[in-house]
């Protein structure tokens, strides 16, 4: 499970000074009485989820695994990053699962879209289109293309059986299309926004298709919720993390860098960047979330982190037990001088890189928090996702920000629609 070690600037006195605010805000989260409270359905979702729908999701996922070679997951932002990050984290970057999962709908890039379309030609694929609004342009364009290709390959009738949609219960263009075409449909509940939706069908359907145990994912979230409910700050690592973030922000450490030592977790960092960036970056407030994958990025960003402008602090997610390991072999000539590591495994080297870097950065004045995670499985990942969502709500409320809207995101869209000639813009 998860163990948090806060950076050395945070002491008991600081935590104590936040106690009253934490009690007040925790009550607000539990009573659903804070700003944006009509979008706080995610807080109880791990225990309140639609049990019948999850059973249907698991059945349909098995159907996809039995009948198709590829699942194309079509969504963007909160309708994409949860599944994408969990899939990478749990299956690795070179999954050899019999069902290949490809993401589309998260970009306008003609190169990317054309490459995926070319790849799909003649192949047996299903589509999971995910959009709460049902009108997101990247997703809608991709889905139109995918649907057309699928129908041209297998006919309209068979295509219907290969399209699975996750959208609003009642409204939106995608929901209307689902009603007309009779696609299998799952619900993204009204009171849950995209970046808080990983435990709904948005995450569970593609993950179940990938053969991931979504019950374990939810069990991890249930435990995380249980641990995060306590308003006693000394027992609540989730809120300690939120308080630390607030303290850093108020003491001019304006950038939080999420660090992992596993390339397959780099999408978790992307998910975190969306969660915190879109939830907190409002009213000219909020920490800027950034990320790095070590040791790779120590050979690029490492110099800045160690010696550059002192604006950041790190939150390192350190997985203690990798799923696989590799032994460093003996070489009789030892020309590379590596025989001192023979018989050691890469997990050992990776941990020493972590320990050495932590010391270097802390000695250099960079505050470093460490989240130790036992291992990277569905249960622990469920725990981690919920931990961050709950911490994000606390952290945004400490800044007096509504964590659940994203007013700034709409402005570029208006300009883009105007330039594209969309009616009404
Ligand atoms: O977190 C969010 O609310 C956003 O990232 C949305 O999920 C994203 O814009 C996609 O929206 P939709 O699901 O309506 O297509």
């Amino acid at each position: 499970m998860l163990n948090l070690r806060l950076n050395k600037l945070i002491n008991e006195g600081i935590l104590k000074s936040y106690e009253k605010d934490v009690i007040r805000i925790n009550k607000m989260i539990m009573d659903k009485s804070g700003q944006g409270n009509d979008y706080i359905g995610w807080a109880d979702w791990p225990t309140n989820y639609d049990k019948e729908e999850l059973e249907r999701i698991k059945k349909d996922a098995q159907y996809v695994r039995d009948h198709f070679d590829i699942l194309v997951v079509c969504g963007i932002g909160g309708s994409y990053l949860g599944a994408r990050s969990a899939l990478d984290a749990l299956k690795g970057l070179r999954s050899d699962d019999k069902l290949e999962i490809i993401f589309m709908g998260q970009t306008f890039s003609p190169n990317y879209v054309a490459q995926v379309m070319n790849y799909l030609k003649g192949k047996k694929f299903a589509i999971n289109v995910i959009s709460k609004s049902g009108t997101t342009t990247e997703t809608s364009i991709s889905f139109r293309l995918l649907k057309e290709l699928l129908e041209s390959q297998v006919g309209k009738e068979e295509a219907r059986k290969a399209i699975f949609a996750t959208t609003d219960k009642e409204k939106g263009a995608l929901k209307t299309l689902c009603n007309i075409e009779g696609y299998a449909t799952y619900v993204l509940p009204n009171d849950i926004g995209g970046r808080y939706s990983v435990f709904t069908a948005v995450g569970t359907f593609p993950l179940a298709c990938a053969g991931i145990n979504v019950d374990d994912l939810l069990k991890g979230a249930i435990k995380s919720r249980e641990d995060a409910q306590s308003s006693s700050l000394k027992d609540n690592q989730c809120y300690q993390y939120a308080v630390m973030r607030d303290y850093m922000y108020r003491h001019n450490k304006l950038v939080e860098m999420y660090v992992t030592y596993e390339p397959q977790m780099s999408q978790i960092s992307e998910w975190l960047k969306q969660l915190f960036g879109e939830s907190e970056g409002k009213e000219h407030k909020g920490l800027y979330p950034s990320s790095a994958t070590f040791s790779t990025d120590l050979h690029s960003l490492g110099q800045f982190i160690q010696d550059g402008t002192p604006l950041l602090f790190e939150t390192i997610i350190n997985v203690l037990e990798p799923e696989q390991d590799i032994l460093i072999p003996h070489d009789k000539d030892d020309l590379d001088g590596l025989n001192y590591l023979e018989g050691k495994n890469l997990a050992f080297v990776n941990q020493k890189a972590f320990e050495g870097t932590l010391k270097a950065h802390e000695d250099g004045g960079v505050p470093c928090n460490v989240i130790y995670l036992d291992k990277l499985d569905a249960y622990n990942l469920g725990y981690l996702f919920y931990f961050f969502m709950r911490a994000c709500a606390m952290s945004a409320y400490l800044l007096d920000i509504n964590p659940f809207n994203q007013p700034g995101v709409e402005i570029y869209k208006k300009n883009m629609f105007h330039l594209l000639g969309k009616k009404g813009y």
Side-chain angles (χ1 to χ4, degrees), residues 54-55 143 151 186 223 346-347 350 381:
L54 190 67
E55 287 315 306
F143 181 55
E151 288 175 351
Y186 318 112
K223 175 70 177 129
L346 277 179
N350 212 20
L381 191 60

Side-chain angles (χ1 to χ4, degrees), residues 76-79 130-134 136 139 193-195 274 278 406:
I76 192 169
S79 291
I130 309 174
S131 177
K132 182 165 182 169
S133 61
T136 300
T139 306
R195 58 190 177 276
Q274 186 199 358
E278 225 176 28
Q406 52 282 328

Side-chain angles (χ1 to χ4, degrees), residues 29 39-46 191-192 196 386 389-390 393 404:
I29 296 173
Y39 278 95
I40 205 166
W42 59 269
D44 294 333
W45 185 257
D191 57 353
I192 301 182
Y196 293 84
Y386 190 90
M389 295 196 300
R390 188 86 180 210
F404 309 122

